[in-house]
Amino acid sequence: MKLILLPLLLLASAFSFAQQLDTPNYTVEIQQLCPEGEVQCQQVLYTGTSKVSGANIELKGTTLHSLCADGVTPCRFLGYQFKNGRIRYLVHESGLLQVIGSSGNILLEEQGVWDYQQQDPEHNTKIEPQVQP
């Protein structure tokens, strides 16, 4: 039995989850490049595409978490943070996309809907999760 589980675990680890957020004016794809089970991921990719102009931006960022009572341990997942110079892009777990200027003013705020997809990065194909009847 262990010989069967090992190849399945290795195959599963080759897949990553892409999360796509669709807002009224943007499509944002989030990819975590950290190993499964790593709570604070420091290697997250953001690809944002304007539905109006087709322009896109790619950024690297991190996950955001609230801290536990000890003030050190990450507790609740809040979303993702990306920086482009002094501009911050926040993608909240709730689907809220915010772009915050260098002075702290909100440049963009749009509510979106998440679409979760499993990806095989070696073949660049999307695999829809199977739903059991």
Side-chain angles (χ1 to χ4, degrees):
M1 184 64 157
K2 290 181 182 177
L3 292 175
I4 294 173
L5 289 177
L6 183 60
L8 290 175
L9 289 173
L10 291 173
L11 178 64
S13 67
F15 291 90
S16 67
F17 281 93
Q19 302 169 348
Q20 183 173 301
L21 179 66
D22 286 313
T23 72
N25 293 298
Y26 295 92
T27 300
V28 176
E29 185 175 301
I30 304 288
Q31 287 185 300
Q32 290 191 48
L33 303 178
C34 295
E36 186 174 337
E38 190 169 311
V39 176
Q40 289 183 301
C41 184
Q42 302 296 314
Q43 298 178 33
V44 182
L45 296 180
Y46 170 108
T47 304
T49 305
S50 168
K51 292 179 180 178
V52 176
S53 68
N56 65 24
I57 186 169
E58 293 183 3
L59 304 169
K60 292 182 181 179
T62 63
T63 56
L64 286 174
H65 295 82
S66 65
L67 296 179
C68 294
D70 65 8
V72 177
T73 308
C75 274
R76 185 173 170 271
F77 173 74
L78 300 175
Y80 306 94
Q81 175 176 263
F82 306 88
K83 293 182 181 176
N84 184 15
R86 296 182 63 199
I87 307 289
R88 288 188 318 141
Y89 291 69
L90 298 176
V91 181
H92 297 268
E93 179 186 32
S94 66
L96 180 65
L97 171 64
Q98 291 181 310
V99 179
I100 301 172
S102 59
S103 62
N105 57 324
I106 296 175
L107 304 175
L108 171 80
E109 187 170 84
E110 291 189 3
Q111 182 63 49
V113 176
W114 285 107
D115 178 23
Y116 299 93
Q117 300 173 345
Q118 189 176 19
Q119 281 194 314
D120 178 351
E122 292 181 17
H123 298 98
N124 201 24
T125 58
K126 293 183 181 176
I127 303 168
E128 295 298 325
Q130 298 293 321
V131 177
Q132 298 294 329

